[in-house]
Amino acid sequence: MNVINPVMWSVHVGFAVLWVGSVLFVSLAILPPALRGDIGGDALGSVVGRLRWSTRIGAAAFVLTGGHMAGTLYPFEALTGTPRGHLVVTMLGLWFVGTGLVEVAGSKLADGLDAGKLREPARDAKPFLYGAAGLSVALIVTAGLLATPGAM
């Protein structure tokens, strides 16, 4: 048995759990108080900074581990010509767009907080964070389909 595959799988899933959980936590637990002005700008800035860094570190981990798994488990024809391959490509697209949404939201929040504002940047970031949260749920559903033996 190849030892590297379970390690890659574990790192990949670990970062996925961290990223999805972080996006959902910021979107559902941190953003609403920010919209009301009930959270301090420093605290919000710290949370947003950590979300952005976990997204960036996760991106490197996903490229490394996901690239390894795709390269060893799915030849190009399988990625483009099988239902399981389509799920892998779907996951890649969901993650790519979700990461972009987190980066845009984080930038809007950071810029607004740097200008001494709180509610306005939270309001500006809201659609991007909610979009990333929705895509992260879709990502988990897609991963569940992919992980279900014989489902596809």
Side-chain angles (χ1 to χ4, degrees):
M1 179 175 148
N2 186 352
V3 174
I4 192 89
N5 288 340
V7 170
M8 290 292 181
W9 176 258
S10 298
V11 171
H12 193 78
V13 170
F15 273 100
V17 168
L18 173 67
W19 185 74
V20 168
S22 297
V23 169
L24 291 174
F25 179 74
V26 171
S27 298
L28 302 175
I30 301 297
L31 186 62
L35 290 165
R36 293 188 305 267
D38 293 341
I39 188 171
D42 290 341
L44 181 59
S46 176
V47 170
V48 169
R50 288 190 173 138
L51 174 63
R52 292 174 85 185
W53 275 110
S54 68
T55 297
R56 292 169 186 169
I57 293 167
F62 291 143
V63 168
L64 175 70
T65 59
H68 171 79
M69 290 187 299
T72 59
L73 299 174
Y74 298 97
F76 182 75
E77 297 78 23
L79 284 173
T80 60
T82 66
R84 292 183 66 75
H86 293 160
L87 287 173
V88 171
V89 172
T90 298
M91 288 180 72
L92 180 62
L94 290 169
W95 166 74
F96 186 74
V97 174
T99 296
L101 291 173
V102 168
E103 284 296 324
V104 170
S107 179
K108 288 186 175 296
L109 283 163
D111 290 348
L113 291 170
D114 287 346
K117 298 179 181 179
L118 178 64
R119 290 182 191 172
E120 182 181 339
R123 193 172 41 252
D124 291 345
K126 180 180 174 180
F128 298 100
L129 281 173
Y130 283 2
L135 291 177
S136 70
V137 170
L139 187 65
I140 294 301
V141 170
T142 306
L145 291 171
L146 187 61
T148 303
M152 304 206 84

